[in-house]
């Protein structure tokens, strides 16, 4: 992890999610794995997905195909050494991607992940404002972005979970809402099974995505 962001809240987040029996996906930087292997193991032992957020938080769109693959695999190696599970998903740093990044990632059997609801917790917004942003923004199938060690995330998270659970949402790790081939993507960027009707507009899985990383 190439920033001052630490792991102070990791166990607190694990405890909050456990209270609601929710499993989430944590995307971690290889440098963060080096610094906090015990936290990475704790996440995995608690049943959460530990996935890739690059090895050094580089701007992948500025790297060659070979450099991207080397960076991603280095982080995969570190995560697998701690958890025993090799990541299959990656959240590209800064949310940046282009055709070269996507092609390189998929060439090693991984899928890149983005989000559609940003809590903006990294801006140290008050807990109430974070809660309002997330609850108003979530739709069926949403992926919500939070950050480990953001100032008010532990305070906001219980209210967010309770509000969405009351609306009929369930929470699942991201791998459980990624469709395998064949699929199509609609104009909103959502996956649909090939040749299937549009999904009903009813509450569906909402996935929590946490990053142990800098602000974006």
């Amino acid at each position: 992890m190439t920033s001052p962001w630490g792991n102070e809240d990791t166990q607190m987040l694990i405890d909050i999610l456990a209270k609601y029996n929710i499993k989430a996906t944590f995307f971690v930087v290889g440098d963060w794995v080096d610094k906090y292997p015990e936290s990475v193991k704790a996440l995995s032992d608690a049943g959460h997905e530990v996935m890739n957020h690059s090895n050094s938080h580089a701007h992948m769109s500025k790297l060659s195909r070979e450099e991207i693959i080397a960076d991603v695999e280095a982080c995969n190696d570190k995560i697998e050494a701690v958890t025993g599970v090799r990541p299959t998903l990656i959240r590209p740093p800064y949310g940046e991607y282009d055709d070269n990044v996507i092609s390189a990632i998929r060439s090693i059997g991984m899928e890149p992940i983005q989000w559609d609801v940003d809590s903006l917790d990294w801006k140290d917004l008050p807990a109430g404002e974070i809660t309002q942003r997330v609850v108003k923004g979530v739709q069926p199938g949403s992926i919500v972005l939070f950050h480990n060690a953001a100032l008010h995330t532990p305070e906001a998270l219980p209210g967010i979970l309770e509000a969405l659970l009351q609306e009929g949402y369930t929470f699942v790790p991201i791998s459980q809402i990624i469709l395998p081939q064949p699929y199509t993507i609609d104009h909103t960027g959502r996956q649909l099974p090939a040749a299937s009707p549009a999904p009903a507009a009813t509450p569906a899985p909402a996935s929590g995505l946490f990053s142990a990383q800098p602000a974006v």
Side-chain angles (χ1 to χ4, degrees):
M1 186 173 181
T2 55
S3 79
W5 288 49
N7 71 335
E8 294 86 356
D9 294 340
T10 303
Q11 189 58 52
M12 190 180 304
L13 294 173
I14 291 173
D15 293 342
I16 292 170
L17 293 169
K19 177 181 177 181
Y20 297 93
N21 195 29
I22 289 171
K23 307 302 181 187
T25 303
F26 286 77
F27 289 82
V28 299
V29 177
D31 291 348
W32 196 82
V33 180
D34 291 335
K35 290 183 180 180
Y36 308 112
E38 71 288 349
S39 292
V40 175
K41 189 174 189 307
L43 290 169
S44 180
D45 288 349
H48 301 294
E49 290 185 334
V50 181
M51 296 293 179
N52 192 314
H53 191 44
S54 83
N55 193 49
S56 58
H57 210 264
H59 290 271
M60 287 191 168
S61 59
K62 297 181 179 180
L63 303 180
S64 69
R65 178 186 181 90
E66 293 73 21
E67 289 171 331
I68 293 168
I69 292 172
D71 182 276
V72 172
E73 292 287 33
C75 184
N76 282 343
D77 289 344
K78 292 177 181 180
I79 293 172
E80 185 176 20
V82 174
T83 68
V85 179
R86 195 163 189 84
T88 57
L89 306 176
I90 178 171
R91 183 169 100 71
Y94 310 100
E96 293 179 357
Y97 63 92
D98 56 21
D99 287 348
N100 182 54
V101 173
I102 300 301
S103 175
I105 289 170
R106 287 181 169 162
S107 75
I108 55 175
M110 299 182 69
E111 279 295 317
I113 300 299
Q114 288 286 79
W115 64 92
D116 68 311
V117 180
D118 189 347
S119 68
L120 293 184
D121 57 354
W122 57 273
K123 288 189 172 183
D124 292 341
L125 298 179
E129 196 169 333
I130 294 172
T131 300
Q132 184 178 32
R133 281 187 56 83
V134 173
V135 173
K136 290 180 66 174
V138 164
Q139 302 177 56
S142 281
I143 295 176
V144 185
L145 176 64
F146 298 96
H147 294 81
N148 185 44
L151 187 60
H152 297 295
T153 299
E155 181 185 353
L157 192 56
I160 292 169
L161 298 179
E162 290 174 9
L164 293 177
L165 287 168
Q166 288 178 1
E167 290 184 18
Y169 285 94
T170 57
F171 293 82
V172 298
I174 290 175
S175 66
Q176 294 186 24
I177 61 172
I178 300 297
L179 296 179
Q181 292 282 4
Y183 62 82
T184 59
I185 297 179
D186 70 10
H187 69 283
T188 70
R190 297 179 184 275
Q191 287 184 307
L192 298 173
S196 74
T202 54
S207 180
L209 179 163
F210 290 82
S211 291
Q213 56 128 35
V216 290

Short mmCIF file of all heavy atoms in Angstrom, two decimals, residues 5 13 17 24-27 91 115 117-122 130-131 134-135 138 143-150 152-154 156-157 160-161 164 171 207-215:
data_model
loop_
_atom_site.label_atom_id
_atom_site.label_comp_id
_atom_site.label_asym_id
_atom_site.label_seq_id
_atom_site.Cartn_x
_atom_site.Cartn_y
_atom_site.Cartn_z
N TRP A 5 -2.84 5.23 4.36
CA TRP A 5 -4.01 4.48 4.79
C TRP A 5 -3.56 3.16 5.42
O TRP A 5 -2.80 2.41 4.85
CB TRP A 5 -4.94 4.21 3.60
CG TRP A 5 -5.65 5.44 3.12
CD1 TRP A 5 -5.07 6.66 2.85
CD2 TRP A 5 -7.04 5.60 2.88
NE1 TRP A 5 -6.03 7.55 2.45
CE2 TRP A 5 -7.24 6.93 2.46
CE3 TRP A 5 -8.13 4.75 2.98
CZ2 TRP A 5 -8.50 7.42 2.13
CZ3 TRP A 5 -9.38 5.24 2.64
CH2 TRP A 5 -9.56 6.57 2.24
N LEU A 13 -14.69 -3.50 10.73
CA LEU A 13 -15.53 -3.80 9.57
C LEU A 13 -15.92 -5.27 9.55
O LEU A 13 -17.07 -5.62 9.25
CB LEU A 13 -14.79 -3.42 8.29
CG LEU A 13 -14.53 -1.94 8.08
CD1 LEU A 13 -13.65 -1.73 6.85
CD2 LEU A 13 -15.83 -1.16 7.94
N LEU A 17 -19.89 -6.50 9.69
CA LEU A 17 -20.45 -7.38 8.66
C LEU A 17 -20.90 -8.70 9.26
O LEU A 17 -21.93 -9.26 8.86
CB LEU A 17 -19.42 -7.61 7.56
CG LEU A 17 -19.08 -6.36 6.72
CD1 LEU A 17 -17.86 -6.64 5.84
CD2 LEU A 17 -20.26 -5.92 5.88
N ALA A 24 -18.55 -9.70 2.10
CA ALA A 24 -18.22 -8.67 1.14
C ALA A 24 -16.97 -9.05 0.37
O ALA A 24 -16.35 -10.09 0.61
CB ALA A 24 -18.02 -7.33 1.85
N THR A 25 -16.59 -8.20 -0.56
CA THR A 25 -15.36 -8.37 -1.34
C THR A 25 -14.40 -7.25 -1.01
O THR A 25 -14.76 -6.07 -1.11
CB THR A 25 -15.67 -8.37 -2.85
OG1 THR A 25 -16.63 -9.39 -3.13
CG2 THR A 25 -14.40 -8.63 -3.66
N PHE A 26 -13.20 -7.61 -0.58
CA PHE A 26 -12.16 -6.63 -0.26
C PHE A 26 -11.08 -6.70 -1.33
O PHE A 26 -10.49 -7.76 -1.54
CB PHE A 26 -11.56 -6.92 1.11
CG PHE A 26 -12.45 -6.56 2.27
CD1 PHE A 26 -13.52 -7.38 2.62
CD2 PHE A 26 -12.23 -5.40 3.01
CE1 PHE A 26 -14.35 -7.05 3.68
CE2 PHE A 26 -13.05 -5.07 4.08
CZ PHE A 26 -14.12 -5.89 4.41
N PHE A 27 -10.83 -5.58 -1.99
CA PHE A 27 -9.76 -5.50 -2.98
C PHE A 27 -8.54 -4.87 -2.32
O PHE A 27 -8.62 -3.75 -1.81
CB PHE A 27 -10.21 -4.65 -4.17
CG PHE A 27 -11.24 -5.32 -5.03
CD1 PHE A 27 -12.57 -5.31 -4.68
CD2 PHE A 27 -10.87 -6.00 -6.18
CE1 PHE A 27 -13.53 -5.93 -5.45
CE2 PHE A 27 -11.81 -6.63 -6.96
CZ PHE A 27 -13.15 -6.61 -6.61
N ARG A 91 -9.91 -4.85 -9.14
CA ARG A 91 -10.40 -3.49 -9.32
C ARG A 91 -9.22 -2.63 -9.73
O ARG A 91 -8.32 -2.37 -8.92
CB ARG A 91 -11.00 -2.94 -8.01
CG ARG A 91 -11.58 -1.54 -8.22
CD ARG A 91 -12.41 -1.10 -7.04
NE ARG A 91 -11.71 -0.21 -6.13
CZ ARG A 91 -11.39 1.06 -6.39
NH1 ARG A 91 -11.64 1.58 -7.58
NH2 ARG A 91 -10.81 1.80 -5.48
N TRP A 115 -17.68 -0.08 -10.14
CA TRP A 115 -18.79 0.10 -9.20
C TRP A 115 -19.78 1.08 -9.81
O TRP A 115 -19.47 1.78 -10.77
CB TRP A 115 -18.27 0.64 -7.87
CG TRP A 115 -17.65 2.01 -8.00
CD1 TRP A 115 -18.28 3.21 -7.85
CD2 TRP A 115 -16.30 2.30 -8.38
NE1 TRP A 115 -17.40 4.24 -8.11
CE2 TRP A 115 -16.18 3.71 -8.43
CE3 TRP A 115 -15.18 1.51 -8.68
CZ2 TRP A 115 -14.99 4.34 -8.77
CZ3 TRP A 115 -13.99 2.15 -9.01
CH2 TRP A 115 -13.90 3.54 -9.06
N VAL A 117 -22.05 2.76 -7.38
CA VAL A 117 -22.39 3.65 -6.27
C VAL A 117 -21.12 3.90 -5.47
O VAL A 117 -20.54 2.98 -4.90
CB VAL A 117 -23.47 3.04 -5.34
CG1 VAL A 117 -23.78 4.01 -4.20
CG2 VAL A 117 -24.73 2.72 -6.13
N ASP A 118 -20.67 5.15 -5.45
CA ASP A 118 -19.47 5.53 -4.70
C ASP A 118 -19.91 6.21 -3.41
O ASP A 118 -20.57 7.26 -3.44
CB ASP A 118 -18.61 6.48 -5.54
CG ASP A 118 -17.26 6.76 -4.92
OD1 ASP A 118 -17.05 6.42 -3.74
OD2 ASP A 118 -16.39 7.31 -5.63
N SER A 119 -19.54 5.63 -2.28
CA SER A 119 -19.91 6.21 -0.99
C SER A 119 -19.22 7.54 -0.74
O SER A 119 -19.66 8.33 0.10
CB SER A 119 -19.56 5.24 0.14
OG SER A 119 -18.15 5.11 0.26
N LEU A 120 -18.12 7.78 -1.44
CA LEU A 120 -17.27 8.96 -1.21
C LEU A 120 -16.78 9.04 0.23
O LEU A 120 -16.47 10.13 0.74
CB LEU A 120 -17.99 10.26 -1.60
CG LEU A 120 -18.29 10.46 -3.09
CD1 LEU A 120 -18.93 11.83 -3.33
CD2 LEU A 120 -17.03 10.31 -3.95
N ASP A 121 -16.70 7.87 0.88
CA ASP A 121 -16.20 7.87 2.26
C ASP A 121 -14.77 8.36 2.35
O ASP A 121 -14.34 8.87 3.40
CB ASP A 121 -16.34 6.48 2.88
CG ASP A 121 -15.64 5.38 2.10
OD1 ASP A 121 -15.12 5.65 0.99
OD2 ASP A 121 -15.62 4.23 2.58
N TRP A 122 -14.01 8.22 1.25
CA TRP A 122 -12.63 8.66 1.26
C TRP A 122 -12.49 10.17 1.37
O TRP A 122 -11.42 10.69 1.68
CB TRP A 122 -11.90 8.16 0.01
CG TRP A 122 -12.54 8.58 -1.29
CD1 TRP A 122 -13.54 7.94 -1.97
CD2 TRP A 122 -12.22 9.73 -2.08
NE1 TRP A 122 -13.87 8.61 -3.13
CE2 TRP A 122 -13.06 9.70 -3.22
CE3 TRP A 122 -11.29 10.76 -1.94
CZ2 TRP A 122 -13.02 10.69 -4.22
CZ3 TRP A 122 -11.24 11.74 -2.93
CH2 TRP A 122 -12.09 11.69 -4.05
N ILE A 130 -22.79 9.96 3.98
CA ILE A 130 -22.41 8.70 3.32
C ILE A 130 -23.63 7.79 3.22
O ILE A 130 -23.91 7.20 2.16
CB ILE A 130 -21.29 7.99 4.11
CG1 ILE A 130 -20.00 8.82 4.08
CG2 ILE A 130 -21.04 6.59 3.56
CD1 ILE A 130 -18.92 8.29 5.00
N THR A 131 -24.35 7.67 4.32
CA THR A 131 -25.54 6.81 4.34
C THR A 131 -26.55 7.24 3.31
O THR A 131 -27.09 6.42 2.55
CB THR A 131 -26.18 6.83 5.74
OG1 THR A 131 -25.23 6.36 6.70
CG2 THR A 131 -27.43 5.96 5.79
N VAL A 134 -25.45 6.40 -0.35
CA VAL A 134 -25.50 4.99 -0.70
C VAL A 134 -26.94 4.49 -0.80
O VAL A 134 -27.33 3.86 -1.80
CB VAL A 134 -24.71 4.14 0.32
CG1 VAL A 134 -24.90 2.65 0.04
CG2 VAL A 134 -23.22 4.50 0.26
N VAL A 135 -27.74 4.78 0.20
CA VAL A 135 -29.11 4.26 0.22
C VAL A 135 -29.91 4.80 -0.97
O VAL A 135 -30.70 4.08 -1.59
CB VAL A 135 -29.80 4.60 1.56
CG1 VAL A 135 -31.28 4.22 1.52
CG2 VAL A 135 -29.10 3.86 2.70
N VAL A 138 -28.38 3.05 -4.49
CA VAL A 138 -28.41 1.61 -4.77
C VAL A 138 -29.63 1.24 -5.60
O VAL A 138 -30.75 1.70 -5.36
CB VAL A 138 -28.38 0.81 -3.45
CG1 VAL A 138 -28.81 -0.64 -3.67
CG2 VAL A 138 -26.99 0.85 -2.85
N ILE A 143 -23.12 -2.35 -7.17
CA ILE A 143 -21.85 -2.57 -6.48
C ILE A 143 -21.48 -1.25 -5.81
O ILE A 143 -21.38 -0.22 -6.48
CB ILE A 143 -20.74 -3.03 -7.44
CG1 ILE A 143 -21.08 -4.40 -8.04
CG2 ILE A 143 -19.39 -3.08 -6.73
CD1 ILE A 143 -20.09 -4.88 -9.07
N VAL A 144 -21.30 -1.30 -4.50
CA VAL A 144 -21.06 -0.09 -3.72
C VAL A 144 -19.60 -0.03 -3.29
O VAL A 144 -19.06 -1.01 -2.77
CB VAL A 144 -21.97 -0.06 -2.47
CG1 VAL A 144 -21.80 1.27 -1.73
CG2 VAL A 144 -23.44 -0.26 -2.86
N LEU A 145 -18.98 1.11 -3.50
CA LEU A 145 -17.56 1.29 -3.18
C LEU A 145 -17.38 1.96 -1.82
O LEU A 145 -17.87 3.07 -1.59
CB LEU A 145 -16.88 2.13 -4.25
CG LEU A 145 -15.41 2.49 -4.01
CD1 LEU A 145 -14.54 1.24 -3.98
CD2 LEU A 145 -14.91 3.46 -5.07
N PHE A 146 -16.68 1.26 -0.93
CA PHE A 146 -16.24 1.82 0.34
C PHE A 146 -14.72 1.67 0.42
O PHE A 146 -14.12 0.96 -0.39
CB PHE A 146 -16.85 1.07 1.53
CG PHE A 146 -18.35 1.13 1.62
CD1 PHE A 146 -19.12 0.11 1.10
CD2 PHE A 146 -18.97 2.19 2.24
CE1 PHE A 146 -20.50 0.14 1.19
CE2 PHE A 146 -20.35 2.24 2.34
CZ PHE A 146 -21.13 1.21 1.82
N HIS A 147 -14.13 2.30 1.42
CA HIS A 147 -12.68 2.21 1.60
C HIS A 147 -12.34 1.81 3.04
O HIS A 147 -12.91 2.36 3.99
CB HIS A 147 -12.00 3.54 1.28
CG HIS A 147 -12.10 3.92 -0.16
ND1 HIS A 147 -13.22 4.51 -0.68
CD2 HIS A 147 -11.23 3.76 -1.19
CE1 HIS A 147 -13.03 4.72 -1.98
NE2 HIS A 147 -11.85 4.27 -2.31
N ASN A 148 -11.42 0.89 3.14
CA ASN A 148 -10.88 0.54 4.44
C ASN A 148 -10.12 1.75 5.00
O ASN A 148 -9.41 2.43 4.28
CB ASN A 148 -9.92 -0.65 4.27
CG ASN A 148 -9.41 -1.16 5.59
OD1 ASN A 148 -10.17 -1.31 6.52
ND2 ASN A 148 -8.12 -1.42 5.65
N ALA A 149 -10.33 2.00 6.29
CA ALA A 149 -9.65 3.09 7.00
C ALA A 149 -10.19 4.47 6.66
O ALA A 149 -9.60 5.46 7.05
CB ALA A 149 -8.13 3.05 6.78
N ALA A 150 -11.30 4.56 5.92
CA ALA A 150 -11.95 5.86 5.76
C ALA A 150 -12.55 6.27 7.11
O ALA A 150 -13.03 5.43 7.87
CB ALA A 150 -13.03 5.79 4.69
N HIS A 152 -15.25 7.74 8.47
CA HIS A 152 -16.60 7.55 9.00
C HIS A 152 -17.30 6.30 8.48
O HIS A 152 -18.49 6.13 8.75
CB HIS A 152 -17.44 8.78 8.71
CG HIS A 152 -16.94 10.04 9.36
ND1 HIS A 152 -16.91 10.19 10.73
CD2 HIS A 152 -16.42 11.17 8.83
CE1 HIS A 152 -16.41 11.39 11.02
NE2 HIS A 152 -16.10 11.99 9.89
N THR A 153 -16.59 5.43 7.76
CA THR A 153 -17.23 4.22 7.21
C THR A 153 -17.78 3.31 8.31
O THR A 153 -18.93 2.86 8.22
CB THR A 153 -16.26 3.47 6.30
OG1 THR A 153 -15.91 4.32 5.21
CG2 THR A 153 -16.91 2.21 5.75
N PRO A 154 -17.02 3.00 9.36
CA PRO A 154 -17.59 2.12 10.39
C PRO A 154 -18.84 2.71 11.05
O PRO A 154 -19.75 1.96 11.43
CB PRO A 154 -16.45 1.99 11.40
CG PRO A 154 -15.21 2.24 10.61
CD PRO A 154 -15.60 3.31 9.63
N ALA A 156 -21.03 4.73 9.52
CA ALA A 156 -22.13 4.76 8.55
C ALA A 156 -22.64 3.38 8.17
O ALA A 156 -23.82 3.21 7.86
CB ALA A 156 -21.67 5.49 7.28
N LEU A 157 -21.78 2.38 8.21
CA LEU A 157 -22.10 1.07 7.64
C LEU A 157 -23.33 0.41 8.25
O LEU A 157 -24.20 -0.09 7.52
CB LEU A 157 -20.88 0.16 7.73
CG LEU A 157 -20.95 -1.15 6.92
CD1 LEU A 157 -21.23 -0.88 5.45
CD2 LEU A 157 -19.65 -1.93 7.08
N ILE A 160 -26.53 1.87 6.84
CA ILE A 160 -26.69 1.54 5.43
C ILE A 160 -27.20 0.12 5.27
O ILE A 160 -28.16 -0.14 4.53
CB ILE A 160 -25.34 1.71 4.69
CG1 ILE A 160 -24.96 3.20 4.63
CG2 ILE A 160 -25.41 1.11 3.28
CD1 ILE A 160 -23.54 3.44 4.15
N LEU A 161 -26.59 -0.80 5.97
CA LEU A 161 -26.99 -2.20 5.87
C LEU A 161 -28.43 -2.38 6.32
O LEU A 161 -29.23 -3.07 5.66
CB LEU A 161 -26.05 -3.08 6.69
CG LEU A 161 -24.58 -3.07 6.28
CD1 LEU A 161 -23.77 -3.97 7.20
CD2 LEU A 161 -24.40 -3.51 4.82
N LEU A 164 -30.98 -0.92 3.73
CA LEU A 164 -31.12 -1.70 2.51
C LEU A 164 -31.74 -3.07 2.78
O LEU A 164 -32.50 -3.59 1.96
CB LEU A 164 -29.75 -1.84 1.83
CG LEU A 164 -29.18 -0.52 1.29
CD1 LEU A 164 -27.79 -0.75 0.70
CD2 LEU A 164 -30.10 0.09 0.23
N PHE A 171 -27.09 -9.04 0.39
CA PHE A 171 -25.71 -8.66 0.11
C PHE A 171 -24.90 -9.91 -0.18
O PHE A 171 -24.95 -10.89 0.57
CB PHE A 171 -25.10 -7.92 1.31
CG PHE A 171 -25.73 -6.58 1.57
CD1 PHE A 171 -26.92 -6.49 2.28
CD2 PHE A 171 -25.14 -5.43 1.10
CE1 PHE A 171 -27.51 -5.26 2.52
CE2 PHE A 171 -25.72 -4.19 1.34
CZ PHE A 171 -26.91 -4.11 2.04
N SER A 207 -23.93 -5.47 -3.63
CA SER A 207 -22.64 -5.99 -3.20
C SER A 207 -21.79 -4.90 -2.60
O SER A 207 -21.69 -3.81 -3.15
CB SER A 207 -21.92 -6.62 -4.39
OG SER A 207 -20.68 -7.13 -4.01
N GLY A 208 -21.17 -5.20 -1.46
CA GLY A 208 -20.25 -4.27 -0.84
C GLY A 208 -18.84 -4.50 -1.34
O GLY A 208 -18.36 -5.62 -1.35
N LEU A 209 -18.20 -3.45 -1.78
CA LEU A 209 -16.85 -3.54 -2.32
C LEU A 209 -15.97 -2.64 -1.46
O LEU A 209 -16.21 -1.45 -1.37
CB LEU A 209 -16.88 -3.07 -3.78
CG LEU A 209 -15.61 -3.03 -4.63
CD1 LEU A 209 -16.01 -2.95 -6.10
CD2 LEU A 209 -14.73 -1.85 -4.32
N PHE A 210 -15.00 -3.22 -0.80
CA PHE A 210 -14.09 -2.45 0.05
C PHE A 210 -12.69 -2.46 -0.55
O PHE A 210 -12.25 -3.49 -1.06
CB PHE A 210 -14.02 -3.06 1.47
CG PHE A 210 -15.28 -2.88 2.25
CD1 PHE A 210 -16.35 -3.72 2.09
CD2 PHE A 210 -15.38 -1.83 3.16
CE1 PHE A 210 -17.51 -3.56 2.83
CE2 PHE A 210 -16.54 -1.66 3.91
CZ PHE A 210 -17.60 -2.53 3.73
N SER A 211 -12.01 -1.34 -0.47
CA SER A 211 -10.64 -1.29 -0.96
C SER A 211 -9.69 -0.86 0.14
O SER A 211 -9.91 0.16 0.79
CB SER A 211 -10.53 -0.32 -2.14
OG SER A 211 -11.19 -0.82 -3.28
N ALA A 212 -8.65 -1.66 0.33
CA ALA A 212 -7.57 -1.27 1.23
C ALA A 212 -6.55 -0.55 0.37
O ALA A 212 -5.66 -1.15 -0.20
CB ALA A 212 -6.96 -2.51 1.88
N GLN A 213 -6.70 0.75 0.26
CA GLN A 213 -5.97 1.47 -0.77
C GLN A 213 -6.10 2.98 -0.53
O GLN A 213 -6.80 3.40 0.38
CB GLN A 213 -6.59 1.14 -2.11
CG GLN A 213 -8.10 1.42 -2.18
CD GLN A 213 -8.45 2.26 -3.36
OE1 GLN A 213 -7.85 2.14 -4.40
NE2 GLN A 213 -9.41 3.14 -3.21
N PRO A 214 -5.44 3.80 -1.35
CA PRO A 214 -5.62 5.23 -1.24
C PRO A 214 -7.02 5.66 -1.65
O PRO A 214 -7.89 4.86 -1.89
CB PRO A 214 -4.54 5.80 -2.17
CG PRO A 214 -3.57 4.71 -2.34
CD PRO A 214 -4.38 3.44 -2.28
N ALA A 215 -7.20 6.95 -1.83
CA ALA A 215 -8.54 7.50 -1.91
C ALA A 215 -9.35 7.09 -3.13
O ALA A 215 -10.55 7.20 -3.11
CB ALA A 215 -8.45 9.02 -1.86
#
